[in-house]
Amino acid sequence: MLVLSRRDVEAALDPDRLVDAVAAAMADMSAGNGSVPNRTAADVAEVGGALIAMPAYLVGAGALAAKLVAMFPENAAKGLPTHKAIVAVFDPSTGTPEAVMDGEVVTAMRTAACSALSARLLARDDAGVLAILGTGVQARAHAEAVKRVRHIREVRIAGRDAGRVQELAGELGAVAAASYESAIAGADIVCACTHSPDPVVRGAWLDPGTHVTSVGFNPEGREVDADAVARALVVVESRTAALAPYPAGSNDLVWAIRDGVIGPDHIHAEIGELVSGTRPGRTAPDQVTLYKSVGVAAQDAAAAALVLAAARERGLGVEVEV
């Protein structure tokens, strides 16, 4: 079995090929070409943590993989990563374990790649101002990924910690915004990448024609308020996953339905349906669009398949007997 470190995964995973790989994976999932169950979790209540399991099989990619994610938000106060993950890859014809790889890079890059895919499919062609909400790994990954699919002339960074906002803005050559609202004002694409329990995207702040991506996950809150959800043409990875209870679903959508702001049919499409053309995307230049991601294992499986193929071709990683 091949063991791939973080450095190996970074070297092997091509961000441009990844966008196309997750597009194919999303189309496969929406078409029922494989098996992608909702994620499950073992909660570690004493410290507010959870171990999340995410298996998937994709026919098109010939990929069988499972990701284990340890999500411990309280680690931030200890100076430790809040998320740690590994991905195991298996031979889909025999079930033989083929590889284990660092899952943090896979998670960051596949999440950002699918947000970039949503921008490619839903953002206006002339979109040039990008607002990044958050200052963590996902914020950085989203800034890089979206610039690969749209001609971005200005990037804005907003977050709770002014020092981290300034630091990330300096790294990316971006503008440090004073607040989430000021970052969003006039932005063409808004990428929300926070762990905030309170909405950082509000409908009142969105200009007509804005495309929003939201990948934040907090079981105690939501990243996008009900007004923004109600205003938007909403696209998800999986209707089943997005509307499921914790740990699979989206509070942003589930709570809006619970409160009677929207109905389940407010979800316009799965992103795989946009890729395959079975559902339309944006219908007007002034339409607000929202891609609400909950993170599905199909993306991990597609990314891991790319990593494994490149690693074998380039001789990366260490072979071990198990």
Side-chain angles (χ1 to χ4, degrees), residues 249-268:
S250 162
N251 286 348
D252 314 66
L253 303 180
V254 172
W255 291 7
I257 292 170
R258 178 200 64 189
D259 296 341
V261 178
I262 63 168
D265 59 353
H266 187 71
I267 295 177
H268 169 72

Side-chain angles (χ1 to χ4, degrees), residues 13 23 28 44 49 66 86 100 114 129 144 155 164 168 191 203 217 231 237 315 322:
L13 196 48
D28 253 8
V44 187
I86 57 172
V100 173
C114 213
V129 178
E144 296 298 336
V155 179
R164 294 186 66 179
L168 182 59
C191 294
F217 174 74
R231 284 188 61 192
E237 295 132 324
V322 295

Side-chain angles (χ1 to χ4, degrees), residues 125-147:
D125 289 341
D126 63 350
V129 178
L130 170 64
I132 301 290
L133 312 183
T135 56
V137 171
Q138 284 292 353
R140 183 177 286 100
H142 274 68
E144 296 298 336
V146 173
K147 286 190 289 187

Side-chain angles (χ1 to χ4, degrees), residues 5 37 82 203 322:
S5 68
T82 58
V322 295

Side-chain angles (χ1 to χ4, degrees), residues 132-282:
I132 301 290
L133 312 183
T135 56
V137 171
Q138 284 292 353
R140 183 177 286 100
H142 274 68
E144 296 298 336
V146 173
K147 286 190 289 187
R148 292 178 175 274
V149 299
R150 282 290 182 266
H151 296 293
I152 301 299
R153 64 179 183 275
E154 179 183 328
V155 179
R156 304 168 181 173
I157 308 294
R160 292 177 298 174
D161 185 319
R164 294 186 66 179
V165 169
Q166 290 286 350
E167 181 181 358
L168 182 59
E171 289 179 23
L172 299 177
V175 176
S179 66
Y180 295 125
E181 182 178 2
S182 63
I184 291 171
D188 302 308
I189 301 172
V190 176
C191 294
C193 316
T194 75
H195 187 67
S196 175
D198 301 310
V200 298
V201 177
R202 298 182 181 272
W205 299 345
L206 297 172
D207 287 349
T210 305
H211 174 60
V212 179
T213 76
S214 169
V215 302
F217 174 74
N218 188 320
E220 305 303 322
R222 53 185 162 184
E223 195 170 53
V224 180
D225 78 353
D227 181 41
V229 171
R231 284 188 61 192
L233 178 139
V234 177
V235 174
V236 297
E237 295 132 324
S238 158
R239 291 180 181 86
T240 300
L243 298 182
Y246 170 85
S250 162
N251 286 348
D252 314 66
L253 303 180
V254 172
W255 291 7
I257 292 170
R258 178 200 64 189
D259 296 341
V261 178
I262 63 168
D265 59 353
H266 187 71
I267 295 177
H268 169 72
E270 295 179 345
I271 195 165
E273 294 173 324
L274 302 188
V275 173
S276 65
T278 58
R279 293 285 291 168
R282 173 183 292 275

